[in-house]
Amino acid sequence: MDYKAIEKKWQDIWDANGSNNFDWSSDKPKYYVLEMFSYPSASNLHLGHWYNYGPSDTFARYKKMQGYNVFHPMGFDSFGLPAENFAIKTGVHPKDSTEKNITTMLGQLKSIGAMYDANSFLVTSRPEYYKWTQWLFLQLLKKGLAYQKNAPVNWCTSCNTVIANEQVLDGSCERCKSEVIKKEMTQWFFKITHYAEELLACLDGLDWPEKTKSMQRNWIGKSIGAEITFAVVPPRSADPKDVKDYIKVFTTRADTLFGVTYVVIAPEHPLASTLPTAAKKKAVTKYIQEATKQSDIERLSTAKEKTGVFTGRYCINPATKKRIPIYVADYCLATYGTGAVMAVPAHDDRDFAFATKYKLPIVTVIQSADANNDNTTSGAYTNDGILTNSKKFDGLTSAEARQKIVASLKAHGTLKTNYRLRDWSVSRQRYWGAPIPIIHCQKCGAVPVPEKDLPIELPYNVEFAPDGKSPLAKCASFTHTTCPKCGGKATRDPDTLDTFVCSSWYNLRYIDTKNTKEAFDPKLINKLMPVDKYVGGAEHACMHLLYARFFNKALRDMGYVNCDEPFKSLVHQGIILGKDGQKMSKSKGNVVNPDIYVDEYGSDVFRMYLMFGFSFVEGGPWNDDGIKATVRFLERVERIVRKVYEPTTIKQSGDISEVEFVLHSTIKAINEDLEVFSFNTAIARLFELVNAIYRYDTAGYDPTALQDTCRTLILLLAPFAPHFCEELWASVINTGKTCSIFDHSYPKHDPSKLTKSTVEVAVQFNSRVKCKITIPQGLDQAAAQKTALADPTVIAALNGITPKKVIIVPDRLVNIIV
RNA sequence: GCGGAUGUGGCGGAAUGGCAGACGCGCCAGACUUAGAAUCUGGUAUCCUUGAUGUGCUGGUUCAAGUCCAGUCAUCCGCACCA
C-alpha cells in the first residue's frame, strides 16, 4: 500500500466531509477530548507533539466508534517569551515569526491525520482571542479577584530590564552575565488563594493521576496552625506601654511556644529595615541586599549554612514573658505565612542549626513519649510528644497543647489555617502578550478599560530591545490615552498578561471560537464541559492545571459555567528523551526529527510505533529499532485481509474456535487497555490476534471462515492506523459502500466465546511449582483439590505424607503445604 | 532543600499479592529459493542444566512479594516570570 498517497487521500476526504467535526445536531452523548495545545516554536512539530497528539487521537477515534459525539479541538498557545527573545536576537517581529511558525506547524499537524474539529481552531495571540482574555481580566477585577500590589521581580542591573527566572543562571543574567537582583514593582495579581480550600477539596473527586493530585495538594500546602503576636520591646526601655511594633508569626507548632528563644523576620519583611538599632543598621542593610540576589530554592535549602544578622532589638515571648532577640535571616520567606517565624531550636532542624551557629539558647519543651533524650546536643526533636518546661501545660500532648496554649494567649494568638499557595502574579513587563486592559489616571487611579473598547490591540511598531522600560511603555501611540472616567490625560498599563492566563480558558473558547459578541455562549459551553479526557505533560501539574481550575471556579461563580471542575479525567504522557537518555535539546544535538520517519513510513506506522514502543505514561529514550516491526505488522494485516477476501485456496472445513477465543479475548483486552491509555499492550493484543489468524490460515483451513474475524480486526485497528484501515475497509472489506469505518461501532466481546472447557493450573509444593494439571474451567475448590491430590506426580511427590494445608486459587493454582 | 516519580533479560517493555519476562526487536534454527532479500514456522532469562538462582540493595509481613511495609542507593521531573 502506498501509505503516503492514501494518507493524503483520506485526510482530504475527512476534511471535505467534515467528519472530524463535532456534530451539534446529534443526540449522541458528547465526549470532549483535549490535548494541551502547543507553542509555535521556531522548530517544527517535534517528537513530543507527536507523542501527545497521535495516541490521544487514537483514543478520540475509539470514543467516536464507541458511539460518542466527540469534540476534539486543536490550536496554538502563541504568546510568550521565546518569540520575543527571538525578535531581540534577530529583529524578526514576534507576530511575523509566530504566524509563520503556525502555518508550518498546521501543515505538520494535518499530516498526523488526527480528527481535529476544523471549526474550533484558535490562536491565543490573535485579537479575536485575546480580546476575550482581556474581558476575562475585567470580569475577575469586577469580582474582586484581581488586585494590584508590590512584588519582587528579577532585575538585571546591566540590561536594565526584568528577566524571567529561566533567564537567571547562578544569580546572573544569562545574556550579559551581570548580577541579577530583586526589585519591587507594582503588579497585578489574581486571588487564587480565595479558592485554596475548594481547589484542595475538589481534588478528591477527580479522575487524575494520584501523583498529580498529591503534587497539587502539596503546592496548595494547607497547614493548620496559629498566628501568634510577639510584642517588640522599645529601645532602651522595657515598659510594655511603649510597645508600638508587633511581629506576627505563623506556626504549626504552638505547642513549642515555651521553647521559642528568638524570632526571625524575612529580609523583605517591612520591619527588617525599620527595626534595627543604629549600631546594627549597616550590617542588616547589607544582609538584606545580599538576600535579594538569591532564589527561594537556594534560601530554603536545609543543606546550606544558615545565615542571619541580629537587629539589636528584642521582643517578648508571650508564654515565658522573657526578652528574646530578633534576627533577620534568609531562611525565612516573606511570601509564606506572615514573613516571620518563631524559632524553636530544640524542635526544628533549621532553628537548631541557626541557634548552634549563633550561640542562642536551646530549650527543650517537648519530650518523646517513649524515651528521655536530651535534645540540646544531639539535634532537634521534631516529632510531637509530651510537654515539659511549659509551666501549667506540662504533661499535655502536643495536640492538646496546640489548642490550649493558643487559647491562653487571648488577643495575642488565634488558630489559623495557612496555605503555601500564593496569589498568581499576572503582570509581565514584556511585549509579546495580551495587554492588560487598565488605564492609569492621576485622578482616578487604575481604571478598567470599558468592555466596548476591547480589544486593546497590541501595537505592531514597538521597540522591544531591553533598556529599562516595558516595550509598550515606549510606544507613545499606545500609552497615551484618556481616562474613561474623568476624560483627563491618562496612560495605559504598560504590562502584558502572563501567558498562563491565555491558556486558562482556551478549553472554553474552543467550543465557540467564532463568537464575536461574547467570550463564549454559556449554553454551548455547558453542553460540552467538562473536558472528559485531558492529555498533556506532567510538568503542568502545579501551574497550568491549577490556574485553569481557578478560572473555571471563578467563571462558575459568575454564572457562566455549570461544572465545578474543568477537567474530569487527566492523563500525562511521558517524555521521549534523546538516544543518549537526556532530554532532547538543540544544544545537546540529540533532537530526533519526526518528519524523517513520517516521510519514510507514513503517519500510521509512526504513530503506531510511538504507541507500541513505549509505555505511554513513562516515555523513555528514543530508539527506532522496533519501527520496522510496525511496518511488518501492517503488511501482515494487509496480506491476510486481501487473501481472506479473495479466497483461491481449496476450501476445507476446520475448527475456528481457537481463533474465536483469541478474537474475543483481544476485543475485551483492547477495550480495557484503551480506557486507561495502555496503547502498547493493546497493540500487543492485536499482534497476537494476527498471529492466531495466520496459524489458522497456514493450517490449511477455509479462508472464508476468517472474513468476519478480519473485518473485526480492521475495526479494532482503525483508531491506531486510521488511514490504512479506512483504505482497506473501502477497497477490500466494505466495497461499494461509502460509509467511513469510523461510523461503525467498535467491536464488543461476546463473553460466551471466552469460556474454555479446561484450564491448566500450576500445582505448587510449599509455594514452588512442581507440576501442571489440566482441570475443567471454574471447578470448585474442593473438586480442584481432589483432582490435584489424585494426580500421579503429586501422589509420588507426597510419598504418603498428608498435606498440612491446601490453598486453591480458582483456575490458577493449587498450593500444597507439607 | 522541599515535593513527585522511576529502577524487571542483550534491547523496548508485560504482569487484580497467585506459574516473572506477555507482545515486539535482536539473535539462532527450519521451510521456501539457484542464491540472497522478503515471507512462513519454531526456539531464545541465567547457571555448575537430575533443580537451583533470578525484578537496584538490606530487612520485614505472607502459604505465596516485581507487587505490600521499613530502610537504603541510583536516576529523572517540578519548585511559582519557560510554556
Side-chain angles (χ1 to χ4, degrees):
Chain A
M1 203 183 280
D2 179 351
Y3 293 137
K4 272 177 103 172
I6 64 136
E7 284 175 6
K8 173 84 174 58
K9 169 183 149 188
W10 285 107
Q11 282 160 18
D12 291 346
I13 293 174
W14 294 331
D15 268 2
N17 294 345
S19 54
N20 293 341
N21 301 350
F22 183 77
D23 181 358
W24 286 97
S25 64
S26 162
D27 53 5
K28 288 179 185 173
K30 68 93 185 178
Y31 201 97
Y32 190 168
V33 182
L34 179 65
E35 291 112 81
M36 292 178 184
F37 57 173
S38 49
Y39 180 81
S41 55
S43 61
N44 300 334
L45 210 62
H46 55 69
L47 203 54
H49 292 123
W50 272 88
Y51 193 62
N52 184 183
Y53 301 157
S56 300
D57 183 61
T58 292
F59 180 79
R61 288 180 183 276
Y62 161 69
K63 282 290 157 190
K64 179 173 179 165
M65 291 178 78
Q66 273 193 330
Y68 289 99
N69 188 10
V70 172
F71 181 55
H72 189 206
M74 183 47 75
F76 288 99
D77 187 17
S78 46
F79 271 138
L81 193 62
E84 193 161 338
N85 285 341
F86 185 71
I88 293 166
K89 223 162 100 185
T90 64
V92 181
H93 195 280
K95 186 180 173 193
D96 300 337
S97 64
T98 300
E99 288 295 336
K100 184 171 164 261
N101 292 341
I102 287 173
T103 308
T104 316
M105 288 177 79
L106 265 178
Q108 293 175 318
L109 269 175
K110 197 179 171 189
S111 76
I112 296 179
M115 44 174 273
Y116 297 131
D117 187 315
N119 298 322
S120 65
F121 180 68
L122 64 79
V123 175
T124 60
S125 60
R126 293 182 183 164
E128 62 265 30
Y129 184 87
Y130 71 70
K131 169 178 180 175
W132 302 110
T133 305
Q134 292 171 336
W135 178 83
L136 281 158
F137 177 94
L138 296 176
Q139 305 316 303
L140 290 170
L141 185 65
K142 234 190 273 176
K143 259 274 172 185
L145 290 170
Y147 67 95
Q148 284 186 101
K149 72 171 179 191
N150 278 336
V153 291
N154 295 314
W155 183 263
C156 172
T157 46
S158 156
C159 302
N160 229 357
T161 188
V162 175
I163 62 172
N165 280 349
E166 189 191 47
Q167 299 171 296
V168 183
L169 296 176
D170 299 325
S172 42
C173 172
E174 67 167 6
R175 252 195 305 259
C176 66
K177 312 291 174 224
S178 319
E179 188 174 71
V180 174
I181 60 163
K182 293 256 161 59
K183 193 175 163 180
E184 292 276 322
M185 290 186 94
T186 304
Q187 305 186 64
W188 287 97
F189 282 81
F190 287 162
K191 214 183 270 177
I192 189 169
T193 54
H194 176 75
Y195 288 98
E197 187 59 44
E198 201 199 330
L199 287 166
L200 182 67
C202 286
L203 284 172
D204 294 333
L206 293 176
D207 174 30
W208 283 23
E210 274 311 315
K211 63 164 186 172
T212 311
K213 293 206 253 183
S214 138
M215 279 160 89
Q216 283 211 357
R217 280 190 197 105
N218 285 312
W219 188 262
I220 295 167
K222 179 179 182 174
S223 54
I224 296 166
E227 217 166 69
I228 297 174
T229 307
F230 287 69
V232 178
V233 179
R236 289 188 214 87
S237 152
D239 185 349
K241 279 180 290 191
D242 293 339
V243 169
K244 287 209 185 74
D245 289 319
Y246 293 92
I247 295 174
K248 262 194 185 172
V249 304
F250 174 77
T251 179
T252 57
R253 294 300 304 270
D255 53 320
T256 62
L257 187 59
F258 284 83
V260 174
T261 55
Y262 64 102
V263 160
V264 179
I265 58 178
E268 299 85 358
H269 194 284
L271 288 176
S273 46
T274 60
L275 214 52
T277 57
K280 302 286 183 186
K281 188 95 188 168
K282 211 174 146 190
V284 173
T285 308
K286 186 166 171 249
Y287 185 80
I288 293 171
Q289 275 174 2
E290 289 299 314
T292 64
K293 292 175 191 166
Q294 294 174 58
S295 71
D296 285 1
I297 295 171
E298 287 165 343
R299 280 171 54 170
L300 275 177
S301 168
T302 50
K304 179 188 143 236
E305 191 171 2
K306 297 284 162 294
T307 61
V309 279
F310 179 39
T311 58
R313 301 287 299 275
Y314 295 85
C315 60
I316 303 291
N317 179 327
T320 62
K321 311 291 183 207
K322 280 188 187 149
R323 259 168 46 127
I324 54 172
I326 302 167
Y327 277 76
V328 174
D330 62 13
Y331 76 93
C332 177
L333 293 184
T335 49
Y336 181 75
T338 57
V341 294
M342 58 179 227
V344 190
H347 305 293
D348 180 277
D349 291 325
R350 288 160 307 180
D351 298 344
F352 183 86
F354 191 88
T356 308
K357 182 172 174 187
Y358 293 100
K359 305 212 164 36
L360 291 157
I362 298 170
V363 179
T364 299
V365 291
I366 305 290
Q367 277 180 332
S368 160
D370 55 322
N372 275 347
N373 49 355
D374 176 15
N375 303 314
T376 51
T377 52
S378 58
Y381 173 76
T382 57
N383 294 335
D384 279 7
I386 306 296
L387 269 76
T388 180
N389 288 331
S390 300
K391 296 190 181 152
K392 63 175 177 179
F393 301 101
D394 283 359
L396 292 182
T397 64
S398 290
E400 292 164 339
R402 280 195 277 271
Q403 309 288 321
K404 293 195 170 157
I405 289 181
V406 173
S408 76
L409 294 173
K410 300 199 173 96
H412 293 286
T414 50
L415 292 175
K416 192 166 176 197
T417 300
N418 195 51
Y419 298 90
R420 204 182 71 101
L421 181 69
R422 315 204 285 252
D423 276 338
W424 173 14
S425 152
V426 295
S427 293
R428 297 291 180 270
Q429 294 69 38
R430 304 247 169 69
Y431 167 70
W432 192 232
I436 295 178
I438 290 289
I439 290 166
H440 296 279
C441 168
Q442 287 232 312
K443 261 199 332 216
C444 312
V447 181
V449 169
E451 288 178 19
K452 65 171 173 52
D453 294 343
L454 296 181
I456 300 305
E457 285 214 36
L458 195 60
Y460 185 86
N461 287 314
V462 293
E463 178 53 59
F464 30 69
D467 63 356
K469 276 188 172 171
S470 278
L472 291 180
K474 291 175 282 183
C475 177
S477 60
F478 174 84
T479 305
H480 300 299
T481 185
T482 51
C483 173
K485 242 185 193 167
C486 69
K489 275 192 179 174
T491 55
R492 292 192 187 279
D493 195 298
D495 292 348
T496 51
L497 289 167
D498 178 9
T499 54
F500 277 126
V501 178
C502 307
S503 57
S504 289
W505 71 285
Y506 76 120
N507 53 303
L508 299 173
R509 182 67 183 176
Y510 269 144
I511 299 166
D512 198 10
T513 45
K514 308 246 161 75
N515 198 332
T516 54
K517 297 199 173 61
E518 46 192 353
F520 35 71
D521 179 344
K523 278 204 303 291
L524 299 185
I525 59 173
N526 285 314
K527 184 164 179 187
L528 271 165
M529 285 293 288
V531 172
D532 295 282
K533 192 67 80 177
Y534 195 26
V535 190
E539 67 275 20
H540 294 287
C542 294
M543 303 183 68
H544 161 64
L545 284 166
L546 201 57
Y547 295 148
R549 292 181 64 213
F550 158 67
F551 257 63
N552 190 86
K553 288 180 191 300
L555 286 168
R556 176 203 58 195
D557 290 347
M558 293 171 198
Y560 294 107
V561 193
N562 292 340
C563 54
D564 291 325
E565 285 289 335
F567 314 124
K568 203 159 85 181
S569 179
L570 173 74
V571 181
H572 296 306
Q573 82 275 15
I575 301 170
I576 302 292
L577 306 167
K579 274 191 174 143
D580 53 1
Q582 303 277 308
K583 218 171 172 172
M584 285 189 204
S585 77
K586 270 187 200 157
S587 58
K588 290 194 196 103
N590 60 353
V591 176
V592 176
N593 183 0
D595 298 355
I596 297 165
Y597 296 101
V598 179
D599 252 23
E600 186 169 353
Y601 302 106
S603 151
D604 283 343
V605 167
F606 188 59
R607 65 142 96 178
M608 258 192 95
Y609 176 62
L610 289 175
M611 287 187 270
F612 180 62
F614 303 86
S615 160
F616 184 68
V617 297
E618 300 288 331
W622 175 251
N623 163 5
D624 57 14
D625 285 350
I627 203 160
K628 288 212 166 72
T630 316
V631 179
R632 192 177 302 167
F633 170 72
L634 289 182
E635 284 171 355
R636 257 164 84 83
V637 170
E638 186 181 354
R639 218 177 293 127
I640 196 75
V641 168
R642 290 194 189 281
K643 182 172 171 189
V644 160
Y645 273 85
E646 287 166 30
T648 51
T649 47
I650 297 158
K651 290 180 184 176
Q652 300 172 8
S653 62
D655 178 13
I656 200 165
S657 65
E658 179 58 28
V659 177
E660 278 191 325
F661 176 79
V662 175
L663 175 69
H664 286 273
S665 43
T666 299
I667 297 171
K668 183 167 186 275
I670 291 183
N671 275 280
E672 287 165 0
D673 288 346
L674 281 177
E675 289 297 335
V676 295
F677 280 63
S678 183
F679 301 104
N680 56 347
T681 52
I683 293 173
R685 297 290 89 82
L686 286 168
F687 277 41
E688 283 175 321
L689 175 58
V690 172
N691 287 342
I693 295 172
Y694 267 81
R695 268 196 297 273
Y696 176 88
D697 176 63
T698 52
Y701 293 133
D702 173 12
T704 56
L706 286 171
Q707 286 188 356
D708 277 351
T709 310
C710 285
R711 190 186 142 90
T712 309
L713 165 69
I714 297 306
L715 286 165
L716 285 170
L717 181 62
F720 299 89
H723 312 87
F724 172 86
C725 290
E726 190 83 285
E727 179 68 20
L728 264 190
W729 188 256
S731 63
V732 179
I733 296 172
N734 220 31
T735 46
K737 299 174 192 149
T738 53
C739 185
S740 161
I741 191 169
F742 296 102
D743 292 326
H744 288 76
S745 297
Y746 207 66
K748 292 192 183 87
H749 76 278
D750 175 354
S752 72
K753 296 277 164 53
L754 290 181
T755 47
K756 278 191 155 182
S757 51
T758 57
V759 286
E760 189 187 61
V761 300
V763 179
Q764 297 182 327
F765 271 70
N766 292 336
S767 310
R768 288 173 174 279
V769 177
K770 192 84 189 173
C771 62
K772 313 236 166 137
I773 56 170
T774 302
I775 58 168
Q777 192 185 34
L779 193 65
D780 68 70
Q781 298 214 0
Q785 176 168 342
K786 207 173 147 194
T787 314
L789 293 177
D791 184 79
T793 321
V794 174
I795 292 169
L798 272 174
N799 200 19
I801 305 167
T802 312
K804 260 193 218 158
K805 195 177 170 186
V806 180
I807 293 153
I808 315 273
V809 181
D811 292 343
R812 300 208 70 144
L813 64 76
V814 177
N815 190 4
I816 300 166
I817 313 300
V818 291

